[in-house]
Structure formats: structure tokens, C-alpha cells
């Protein structure tokens, strides 16, 4: 059974991120991750106790307003005027709850600090909530496609694992784009515009900003541009040589035992390819459609909003709704009650037609007609089973693959000095006969990938076994 994330920490890992000072701990952990492990990290930093305290003090000085005034008191951190003492207690709490740890560094001969494995995962999650550069990028789509193409070309199992990991971010990428657009929509709709011109300018500015951050998703990174290719590549991989795929599964299992546990006995390549196809199809058919529908609905709503603003700007104070809103807002409670009753009197119907109870008749429901059906089950006899097994055995005995046909024909051509004919192929046994009968179709199906060429060179003739039009078979130049 796989070990749970929280079972091995031995501490209440999320405790520092609760209480009145939770925002400070969030900022401290995020800043530490950015300084030591983030995109712009300073890899020469020596994170000893003094440097760690300096980072905490600097973070505290710029984020003191994030400490919540309400809630339960924190006896360790409340009412501390000394920032250094505050930093010491923050550092100690992060260590006691398993986010940070200290260790003896042999290179610097001093005690340094670092994230625990669990603390590193939490810090990475916090850091990604702050980063905006990853938004609106379909990183997984093209990366997954390129990894699958590399696996088909080279057969390296690492490319298949890479494709599986890249696919895991595809749905999240489109969700980020949808969230980005929803946030843009909320900001636009919540803003108060003085007139229609400001509304149009605000809308266009928002559209330009959205286009800068998400334009590549709608063209080069569009899921529709790559989904079919990814699915076709996955199907192509499943049709590779079974022995090659079995060897690939063994290598993946040796290098990634966690994937073998998740597959639960299913062949690893098939399990990963099914996951890739399901993610790509769901993203294309569900999330992408939702995004396009949301864009269309927002455009319609905003056009209606601008139309109303134009109407209000033209009519100014002559609009009945504006005049009623002004009167209602300036009236006292008694006046508002009177206006509300007057409004309800004009809005509610003055006449209502009621159905005569005598015209209502209860009718018994007609019985449902059922068509009698009889299911006849035919139990196969021993003779039927024997006949089926014989038919299956005959089919398997006389089945021959295109690859075997091409190999046999290529050997015959090589023995004949580079060129032979269809009726000259050996037919001494059943498999040789099957290969000769299938040679024309197999060579033509191989196309340019086959090393053989074939052309008709005579009328119907017999080789003593079968009658056919003779064909010349030779090695491709």
C-alpha cells in the first residue's frame, strides 16, 4: 500500500498556515522557495540562520498589514515589537511543524537550513499561485505530442513516461485559461463606467490584455491543432511489436515503480496511453467547448450592457427607470412602501381565469401494452464446440502476417540473384503457398517502405499448384 503524504510527516504540517499570522507564513515560505528553488533563484545563497532570519524580517516588513486583527490570539507572535525575535519564532515554528529542517553542511562547516521534502511540495504549490507567467500556455499539448513522436522514432521508454507526465497538465492548462477569462470578465462587469465610451474603451483594453496573455492558446497552442495527432500517435504505439512493448513495460516498471502500482496489473504502456487519450479528448470536447461558449456569452452580455449605457446617455434623465430609481431613492420608508404597493398594483394581473371544477374529469390511465417476447437459448452441443475449435485451429494454422510474406519473398528474390517472378516462388508446403498467394497484395500494401517492387509481366499461367497472372518481383533500386 503506498505511503500517504501526511502519514510520514510526523507533525501537523499545515498548522503554521492557520491563525491570525497565516498570511505571513505563506509569504515567508513562498519567498524562501523563490529565493532558493524558484525560476529566479540565487543558487549561490548560503541559507544559514542569519540569512534565513533576514529573509523573514524583510518579508514581515512589507507584509505586516496581512496579519489578521480578528480571531484567536497567538501567544507566541502577538505583541512582539522586535522583528528579529518574531523571525526566530517563525523559523522555529516552521521547523517544529516539518516545513523546514536544519542540517550540518560539510562544505561550509556550519548548520544550514532547507525545506523538508513535504515542505518543498507545499512551498512549490504556494509559489505557483503567485506566478503568472505560466498562465495561458498549453505547455502540455505540444510537449506530449513531441514526446510520443520521439518514442515512435527511438523506442526509448523515457519518452513515453514524459508524454504521460506532460498530458497530466493539459486539462489544467485549459482550466487556467478559462479562469483567466472569467477573472477578466468579473473585473470588466464589476467596474463602473461613466458613459458608453468609457465602457467600450474598458472592454477593448481588457480584450487586448487577454489577447497578450492567451493569444497563443487560440492559434499555435490550440488543443484542436494537436489532439488528433496525439490520439493517432497513441494508437500507433499500441500497434507496435508486442515484444517491444513488453520490454518497454519492464524498463518503465524498473525505473518508475509508482506507475506500476497505479496501473494495478494492467500493461503500463496501455494504461498510460489510455490516460493520455482520455485527458486529450475530455479537454477538447468539454473544457474547450465551455471556454468558447463562455466567450460568446460574455460578448453578448457586454453588447447589451453597452447598448443600455448608450440609451441612458441619450435619454439622460428622461428615462422612466432612471426617474423611478431617483424618486424611490429619495423617498422615506413610508413613501417607499407606497411606491412599492403602487408598482405591484400595476405589475400584477387584475383578472385571473380559473378553470371550472365541474369541467375537470379524472380518467383512468390506459393499461400499457406489452409485446410478449420469448428468448430462445441454444446450448451448443459437444459436436458444435468441437467444430468451432477445429475452425479456429484451421484459421490460426493458415494465418500468415504481411511481415512474414515479405520476408519469405525477399529471401526468394535474394536467392534468385535480385529478381524472380510470382510463379517461381517456392510452394513446397502450406505456408510457402500462402506466402506466394499473398505476395502481390503484401508488396503493394508496403508501398515505398517495402524493399521490393512488383509489376505484371504476363498472362494467366500455372505453376502446377495455382493459376495466376505472372508478376516480376525485384529489389527496389
Amino acid at each position: 500500500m503506498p505511503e500517504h503524504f501526511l502519514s510520514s510527516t510526523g507533525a501537523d504540517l499545515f498548522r503554521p498556515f492557520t491563525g491570525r499570522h497565516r498570511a505571513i507564513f505563506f509569504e515567508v515560505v513562498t519567498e524562501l522557495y523563490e529565493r532558493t528553488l524558484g525560476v529566479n533563484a540565487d543558487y549561490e545563497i548560503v541559507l544559514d540562520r542569519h540569512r534565513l532570519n533576514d529573509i523573514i524580517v524583510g518579508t514581515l516588513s512589507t507584509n505586516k498589514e496581512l496579519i489578521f486583527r480578528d480571531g484567536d490570539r497567538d501567544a507566541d507572535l502577538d505583541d512582539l515589537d522586535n522583528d528579529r525575535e518574531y523571525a526566530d519564532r517563525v523559523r522555529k515554528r516552521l521547523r517544529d511543524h516539518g516545513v523546514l529542517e536544519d542540517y550540518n553542511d560539510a562544505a561550509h562547516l556550519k548548520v544550514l537550513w532547507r525545506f523538508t521534502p513535504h515542505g518543498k511540495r507545499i512551498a512549490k504549490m504556494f509559489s505557483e499561485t503567485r506566478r503568472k507567467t505560466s498562465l495561458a500556455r498549453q505547455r502540455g499539448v505540444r510537449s506530449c505530442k513531441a514526446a510520443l513522436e520521439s518514442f515512435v522514432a527511438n523506442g526509448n521508454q523515457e519518452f513515453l513516461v514524459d508524454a504521460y507526465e506532460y498530458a497530466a497538465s493539459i486539462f489544467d492548462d485549459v482550466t487556467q485559461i478559462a479562469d483567466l477569462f472569467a477573472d477578466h470578465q468579473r473585473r470588466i462587469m464589476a467596474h463602473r463606467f461613466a458613459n458608453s465610451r468609457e465602457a467600450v474603451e474598458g472592454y477593448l483594453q481588457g480584450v487586448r490584455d487577454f489577447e497578450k496573455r492567451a493569444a497563443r492558446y487560440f492559434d499555435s497552442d490550440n488543443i484542436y491543432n494537436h489532439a488528433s495527432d496525439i490520439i493517432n500517435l497513441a494508437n500507433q504505439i499500441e500497434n507496435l511489436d508486442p515484444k517491444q512493448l513488453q520490454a518497454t513495460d519492464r524498463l518503465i516498471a524498473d525505473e518508475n515503480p509508482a506507475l506500476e502500482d497505479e496501473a494495478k496489473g494492467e500493461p503500463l504502456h496501455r494504461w498510460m496511453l489510455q490516460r493520455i487519450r482520455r485527458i486529450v479528448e475530455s479537454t477538447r470536447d468539454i473544457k474547450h467547448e465551455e471556454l468558447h461558449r463562455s466567450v460568446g456569452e460574455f460578448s453578448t452580455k457586454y453588447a447589451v450592457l453597452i447598448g443600455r449605457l448608450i440609451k441612458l446617455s441619450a435619454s439622460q434623465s428622461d428615462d422612466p427607470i432612471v426617474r423611478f430609481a431617483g424618486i424611490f431613492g429619495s423617498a422615506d420608508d413610508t413613501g417607499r412602501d407606497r411606491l412599492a404597493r403602487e408598482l405591484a398594483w400595476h405589475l400584477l394581473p387584475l383578472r385571473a381565469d380559473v378553470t371550472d371544477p365541474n369541467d375537470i374529469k379524472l380518467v383512468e390511465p390506459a393499461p400499457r401494452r406489452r409485446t410478449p417476447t420469448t428468448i430462445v437459448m441454444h446450448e451448443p452441443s459437444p459436436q458444435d464446440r468441437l467444430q468451432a475449435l477445429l475452425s479456429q485451429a484451421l484459421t490460426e494454422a493458415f494465418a500468415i502476417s504481411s511481415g512474414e510474406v515479405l520476408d519469405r519473398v525477399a529471401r526468394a528474390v535474394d536467392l534468385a540473384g535480385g529478381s524472380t517472378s510470382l510463379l517461381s516462388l517456392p510452394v513446397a508446403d502450406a505456408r510457402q503457398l500462402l506466402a506466394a498467394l499473398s505476395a502481390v497484395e503484401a508488396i503493394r500494401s508496403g508501398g515505398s517502405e517495402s524493399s521490393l517492387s512488383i509489376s505484371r509481366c504476363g498472362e494467366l499461367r500455372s505453376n502446377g499448384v495455382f493459376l495466376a497472372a505472372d508478376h516480376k518481383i525485384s529489389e527496389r533500386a
Side-chain angles (χ1 to χ4, degrees):
M1 180 177 180
E3 188 177 34
H4 193 274
F5 172 73
L6 296 176
S7 63
S8 60
T9 60
D12 193 351
L13 193 64
F14 292 95
R15 176 61 62 183
F17 308 104
T18 62
R20 295 175 56 191
H21 298 262
R22 57 186 180 271
I24 299 299
F25 282 93
F26 171 87
E27 293 294 334
V28 167
V29 169
T30 304
E31 185 66 21
L32 281 174
Y33 184 87
E34 293 291 339
R35 291 279 193 95
T36 59
L37 300 170
V39 178
N40 300 316
D42 180 7
Y43 298 106
E44 297 181 358
I45 188 173
V46 178
L47 196 62
D48 55 11
R49 185 173 64 86
H50 298 292
R51 175 62 66 88
L52 178 58
N53 280 3
D54 288 341
I55 294 175
I56 297 175
V57 170
T59 304
L60 174 65
S61 63
T62 57
N63 296 282
K64 280 186 176 181
E65 70 280 359
L66 297 178
I67 300 176
F68 293 89
R69 302 305 175 189
D70 300 328
D72 298 335
R73 289 185 56 79
D74 192 321
D76 284 340
L77 299 177
D78 286 343
D79 304 327
L80 285 179
D81 296 331
N82 190 329
D83 289 348
R84 289 287 172 181
E85 185 177 357
Y86 186 96
D88 280 332
R89 297 190 182 185
V90 168
R91 174 178 48 81
K92 182 177 182 300
R93 185 174 296 186
L94 290 174
R95 182 193 62 188
D96 293 343
H97 289 89
V99 180
L100 298 178
E101 62 181 359
D102 53 352
Y103 66 100
N104 292 318
D105 184 73
H108 296 87
L109 299 178
K110 60 194 309 186
V111 176
L112 301 183
W113 291 76
R114 64 188 176 190
F115 283 106
T116 64
H118 302 87
K120 186 186 300 182
R121 297 178 186 177
I122 293 176
K124 180 180 179 182
M125 176 185 66
F126 288 166
S127 176
E128 289 178 349
T129 61
R130 177 187 289 180
R131 288 182 60 202
K132 299 300 182 182
T133 57
S134 64
L135 290 176
R137 280 305 309 271
Q138 277 282 287
R139 306 176 305 278
V141 172
R142 289 189 294 179
S143 299
C144 176
K145 177 181 174 182
L148 291 175
E149 290 174 342
S150 300
F151 177 77
V152 171
N154 303 323
N156 190 327
Q157 76 281 355
E158 295 181 357
F159 291 123
L160 186 57
V161 177
D162 290 343
Y164 169 73
E165 294 179 350
Y166 287 133
S169 65
I170 291 177
F171 193 86
D172 178 61
D173 288 340
V174 182
T175 302
Q176 284 187 357
I177 297 164
D179 293 342
L180 177 67
F181 180 76
D183 179 65
H184 163 64
Q185 178 177 345
R186 283 192 297 268
R187 287 188 286 106
I188 289 291
M189 299 301 289
H191 190 77
R192 292 185 177 182
F193 298 104
N195 50 54
S196 58
R197 176 176 295 180
E198 289 187 8
V200 173
E201 291 177 353
Y203 172 74
L204 295 178
Q205 178 60 36
V207 169
R208 286 190 291 268
D209 177 64
F210 181 73
E211 183 180 4
K212 290 178 182 177
R213 303 171 68 182
R216 60 173 59 91
Y217 168 73
F218 289 102
D219 43 63
S220 60
D221 287 340
N222 193 319
I223 183 67
Y224 272 100
N225 292 347
H226 305 285
S228 298
D229 293 337
I230 292 176
I231 294 173
N232 291 335
L233 285 168
N235 295 335
Q236 182 179 350
I237 292 173
E238 283 192 334
N239 293 325
L240 294 177
D241 184 7
K243 294 182 180 179
Q244 177 188 350
L245 294 176
Q246 290 175 3
T248 299
D249 289 345
R250 288 193 296 270
L251 292 173
I252 294 176
D254 292 340
E255 298 173 359
N256 304 272
L259 290 178
E260 188 178 20
D261 295 338
E262 292 184 34
K264 298 180 180 179
E266 188 176 357
L268 279 173
H269 74 276
R270 184 184 305 164
W271 176 76
M272 288 191 290
L273 292 173
Q274 288 176 350
R275 293 283 297 270
I276 291 173
R277 280 195 296 261
R278 186 164 61 250
I279 291 173
V280 170
E281 291 171 352
S282 300
T283 305
R284 179 190 61 186
D285 300 336
I286 298 175
K287 206 64 186 179
H288 191 78
E289 293 298 328
E290 290 180 359
L291 176 61
H292 272 268
R293 185 167 57 252
S294 177
V295 171
E297 292 176 354
F298 169 65
S299 301
T300 303
K301 292 178 182 178
Y302 206 82
V304 174
L305 174 63
I306 293 176
R308 290 178 179 175
L309 288 172
I310 293 173
K311 180 181 178 182
L312 291 176
S313 299
S315 60
Q316 296 181 354
S317 61
D318 294 335
D319 190 272
I321 297 179
V322 175
R323 284 190 284 109
F324 177 81
I327 296 172
F328 191 85
S330 61
D332 54 13
D333 293 341
T334 303
R336 290 181 181 179
D337 290 341
R338 181 176 58 80
L339 287 172
R341 285 195 300 270
E342 194 71 22
L343 181 63
W345 175 261
H346 285 84
L347 292 179
L348 294 177
L350 302 180
R351 173 185 173 183
D353 294 330
V354 181
T355 304
D356 187 353
N358 295 325
D359 293 339
I360 299 176
K361 297 180 181 180
L362 299 178
V363 179
E364 292 291 336
R368 184 177 181 180
R369 293 185 178 182
R370 296 182 179 273
T371 303
T373 57
T374 303
I375 300 176
V376 179
M377 300 292 293
H378 175 67
E379 183 69 20
S381 64
Q383 187 64 27
D384 294 335
R385 292 194 181 96
L386 177 60
Q387 189 63 35
L389 290 175
L390 288 174
S391 299
Q392 181 179 355
L394 287 172
T395 301
E396 293 178 355
F398 291 98
I400 183 169
S401 66
S402 298
E404 183 178 347
V405 172
L406 293 175
D407 290 341
R408 288 178 177 271
V409 175
R411 286 198 298 270
V413 171
D414 186 53
L415 292 174
S419 176
T420 186
S421 65
L422 174 64
L423 296 179
S424 300
L425 294 175
V427 289
D429 55 34
R431 299 196 74 82
Q432 288 181 351
L433 176 59
L434 288 173
L437 291 173
S438 306
V440 175
E441 181 181 357
I443 296 174
R444 288 176 175 173
S445 299
S448 59
E449 298 179 359
S450 173
S451 61
L452 302 173
S453 63
I454 188 169
S455 60
R456 182 166 177 168
C457 62
E459 301 298 330
L460 289 176
R461 290 172 47 203
S462 174
N463 63 352
V465 179
F466 63 86
L467 183 68
D470 202 6
H471 288 70
K472 179 182 178 182
I473 305 173
S474 59
E475 294 180 351
R476 190 181 297 275

